[in-house]
Amino acid sequence: CPGRINIIGEHTDYSQGYVLPACINKYVMMEMTPSNDWRLHALDVEQVASLDDTHCQWLIYFIGVLTELKAIGARLEPMDIQFKSTIPIGAGLSSSSAITVAFLYGLNEYFQLKLSKKEMAIIAQKSEWHSGVKGGIMDQYAMLFGKKDSAIYLDCLLLEHEYIDCHLESTEWLLLNTNVSHTLSDSSYNDRKIVCHNGLDKLLSTLELENYQAINQVSFDVLEKSLGGEELDFVQYLWSENKRVQNMKDALKAADYNLIGKLLTEGHAGLSSKYRVSCYELDYLVEALVDNPDVYGSRMVGGGFGGCTLQLIKEGSAERIFNSVKDAYQTQFGINLSFINGNVVGGVELVDSFT
């Protein structure tokens, strides 16, 4: 199961908004063998756990899947699970969702549960809620429906999608990893969701809107008259980000690199100043690259509070861009910067060998 980037549409999926994710060539690889007891082996950290162990944080993703499958009456037998990952932990590329989706997909195949991809996306989302983070459905949906060289334009209210070509001529997607590891359950992710939904609920009540997505039919001025404080900031961000997703879809189809870059950078500004989920390190990188002639645009990607920035860059310039900021970044923060070339790949699948 691959990790994912999100080209635009951050913190919108849990508010019935729009997103544009894609899968990248970093993976969780999992092997499942029938056993007398559930045994789980995290090969990268050399940890082995049973379902009643409490020392492994990653165990909650497996328990979440089994709990949600039990709730729908799925019949399972114990398995011995081995897994490893090339997705950097805490980088905002959703390593936790990749574990969840790989496990669920494997169980669905082995036990012939006959769950559709959409059903698995919903179950995987609920499974991750057991970790304490009440996230949206973007990551799980993208990993199940991913397509090579394509982003997924997803309507998170209707759960309907369209593939958009994001393999643009003479460009690449570059990830710069701040190596500031975010832990969403320890952050204010859930708090932001609560405040944003409080504001949206007020709008639904006072303006008689049908659902959260309908705020995009309301003018910016009406939002300012109806809300205040953090509720206004968060809802204004959602309103603006939903429109950026629509504009990004058109920009990708037109291969308008400058507009794509502008939307990326505007999206980061909203995440930093309005939704306030960025951090000094992320802001520093975006600002450092704003005038780089090889970079069309840049923004943080993922839940925030650390992780990676995503850049659309000129083909062949990744190492040059990385070298232009790595020393200053290390001097500023005392942290080594790293980079990943984000090649867009297909979604979760069965493979012949565990390598």
Side-chain angles (χ1 to χ4, degrees):
C1 182
R4 67 94 191 94
I5 57 174
N6 185 24
I7 295 173
I8 203 82
E10 213 68 78
H11 286 273
T12 56
D13 58 343
Y14 55 76
S15 296
Q16 300 176 349
Y18 305 96
V19 293
L20 255 174
C23 295
I24 61 162
N25 57 326
K26 296 292 180 181
Y27 300 92
V28 163
M29 294 152 284
M30 191 172 293
E31 183 178 69
M32 308 171 67
T33 309
S35 176
N36 293 325
D37 301 292
W38 287 101
R39 299 291 289 175
L40 303 114
H41 306 244
L43 299 178
D44 296 319
V45 292
E46 297 182 347
Q47 290 181 336
V48 181
S50 60
L51 294 181
D52 56 359
D53 287 337
T54 58
H55 65 284
C56 298
Q57 290 184 319
W58 48 264
L59 189 61
I60 191 63
Y61 302 111
F62 293 92
I63 293 173
V65 169
L66 293 174
T67 301
E68 292 302 320
L69 287 177
K70 182 180 179 181
I72 64 169
R75 293 181 176 272
L76 307 173
E77 298 294 334
M79 303 287 280
D80 186 282
I81 310 294
Q82 296 190 68
F83 71 99
K84 54 187 176 180
S85 176
T86 59
I87 305 172
I89 296 172
L93 307 180
S94 208
S95 57
S96 57
S97 292
I99 290 172
T100 303
V101 170
F103 185 47
L104 175 59
Y105 188 89
L107 294 176
N108 186 59
E109 290 288 329
Y110 187 84
F111 292 104
Q112 298 183 355
L113 303 180
K114 298 182 180 179
L115 297 169
S116 69
K117 287 184 178 181
K118 189 174 291 188
E119 288 171 329
M120 282 192 281
I122 295 168
I123 291 170
Q125 179 194 22
K126 291 179 179 178
S127 298
E128 287 196 59
W129 289 350
H130 291 264
S131 72
V133 179
K134 301 293 185 180
I137 200 168
M138 174 182 71
D139 299 348
Q140 303 86 355
Y141 197 101
M143 291 170 183
L144 284 154
F145 286 93
K147 180 180 177 182
K148 182 176 170 59
D149 294 334
S150 295
I152 298 171
Y153 169 70
L154 173 62
D155 181 325
C156 296
L157 173 63
L158 301 178
L159 290 186
E160 295 177 351
H161 70 275
E162 173 187 354
Y163 290 111
I164 309 293
D165 185 4
C166 65
H167 184 66
L168 306 173
E169 186 177 355
S170 302
T171 69
E172 299 176 34
W173 295 103
L174 171 68
L175 291 157
L176 292 176
N177 190 351
T178 64
N179 288 304
V180 176
S181 182
H182 71 174
T183 305
L184 291 183
S185 58
D186 295 337
S187 71
S188 50
Y189 182 100
N190 289 336
D191 294 339
R192 276 163 176 73
K193 178 179 177 181
I194 291 168
V195 172
C196 185
H197 285 190
N198 285 343
L200 290 168
D201 288 338
K202 288 180 182 178
L203 292 173
L204 262 64
S205 176
T206 57
L207 303 178
E208 298 183 350
L209 302 179
E210 185 178 359
N211 50 54
Y212 289 168
Q213 199 177 94
I215 66 159
N216 288 87
Q217 302 166 13
V218 176
S219 72
F220 210 71
D221 292 340
V222 170
L223 296 182
E224 288 188 320
K225 293 175 182 177
S226 304
L227 300 172
E230 283 191 333
E231 290 179 354
L232 175 61
D233 284 346
F234 293 175
V235 172
Q236 281 184 332
Y237 164 76
L238 175 64
W239 186 94
S240 299
E241 186 77 345
N242 279 334
K243 294 191 182 304
R244 276 189 287 269
V245 176
Q246 306 296 331
N247 292 334
M248 181 67 80
K249 180 177 72 165
D250 294 338
L252 286 170
K253 287 181 176 180
D256 188 336
Y257 303 160
N258 291 322
L259 178 55
I260 292 168
K262 180 174 181 285
L263 291 167
L264 290 173
T265 305
E266 287 178 353
H268 182 82
L271 287 161
S272 181
S273 64
K274 283 287 188 182
Y275 219 70
R276 295 188 281 280
V277 292
S278 187
C279 63
Y280 293 123
E281 293 85 355
L282 289 167
D283 291 345
Y284 176 89
L285 288 176
V286 172
E287 181 62 29
L289 296 176
V290 70
D291 293 321
N292 189 309
D294 290 321
V295 179
Y296 292 104
S298 174
R299 77 170 189 89
M300 59 153 276
V301 63
F305 313 105
C308 292
T309 57
L310 173 69
Q311 289 74 214
L312 180 67
I313 65 171
K314 293 180 180 177
E315 189 175 28
S317 65
E319 195 162 346
R320 183 165 64 244
I321 293 166
F322 172 69
N323 289 331
S324 75
V325 293
K326 68 172 184 176
D327 291 340
Y329 180 84
Q330 208 283 333
T331 299
Q332 180 75 16
F333 300 109
I335 305 171
N336 290 325
L337 190 69
S338 56
F339 77 95
I340 302 166
N341 286 104
N343 297 322
V344 175
V345 299
V348 61
E349 61 180 347
L350 296 177
V351 293
D352 293 330
S353 63
F354 183 59
T355 57

